[in-house]
Amino acid sequence: MTFEQEWAELRAAAAERTAMQINSVPTEGGGGGGGKDLVVNRDDLGAIGNDAYDLLGRLAKEGDIARPATFDAAIALTNGNFVSGSAVLKVHDYWQTHLRTLLDACAQISNHLDYSKAQHAKDEVKIVGDLTRISALTEYMK
């Protein structure tokens, strides 16, 4: 399976799991007045964060497989007075730079979604606690 096929499958699976609506109005009614404009399912955030973490691990391991051989080839070509040695070394350096950037992005996505999931749970507990106090106060005022 190619990377593009696997990436497409992961994106499709994540889209199926995600129940988030942003900047849209539900088809069964207008905005406001009881309809939910934004829905975040903690399980969805966790699953996407887990996928990003898994991708990070695979990229860290498999994205570096060709680096030593590429570097050795660049050095051998340069030492053999081949002009292409510097070009191979440039490819090596570009790959390393872009791989680190991609690894950093995956780590940030994973960490952000894990943080969002935990923060959403804390917010939920706080809101429930606040509403419980208000409902108890309302009962006393009757």
Side-chain angles (χ1 to χ4, degrees):
M1 176 179 290
T2 67
F3 174 78
E4 287 81 15
Q5 291 169 329
E6 187 173 356
W7 183 246
E9 285 180 12
L10 288 172
R11 284 189 3 217
E16 288 176 12
R17 287 191 310 259
T18 303
M20 186 181 292
Q21 293 181 337
I22 298 176
N23 293 334
S24 66
V25 177
T27 56
E28 62 272 352
K36 294 180 182 179
D37 290 332
L38 175 63
V39 176
V40 177
N41 187 323
R42 281 179 265 153
D43 293 336
D44 293 339
L45 292 177
I48 295 168
N50 188 53
D51 288 345
Y53 181 78
D54 291 345
L55 180 60
L56 173 67
R58 287 186 57 206
L59 274 174
K61 180 181 173 189
E62 297 172 14
D64 199 41
I65 290 173
R67 183 190 51 79
T70 304
F71 184 76
D72 291 345
I75 297 303
L77 288 168
T78 302
N79 289 343
N81 293 324
F82 288 96
V83 178
S84 59
S86 63
V88 173
L89 187 58
K90 192 177 286 189
V91 169
H92 169 271
D93 293 345
Y94 281 142
W95 175 256
Q96 287 304 108
T97 300
H98 291 296
L99 179 62
R100 280 193 301 264
T101 301
L102 187 56
L103 287 169
D104 184 50
C106 288
Q108 287 184 22
I109 290 168
S110 176
N111 292 340
H112 177 71
L113 291 172
D114 288 343
Y115 171 80
S116 295
K117 180 181 174 183
Q119 190 61 42
H120 181 70
K122 288 178 187 175
D123 291 345
E124 188 79 18
V125 168
K126 182 182 181 321
I127 290 169
V128 167
D130 290 348
L131 291 176
T132 302
R133 287 196 306 257
I134 292 170
S135 64
L137 185 61
T138 303
E139 287 296 319
Y140 289 124
M141 295 178 79
K142 286 184 179 178

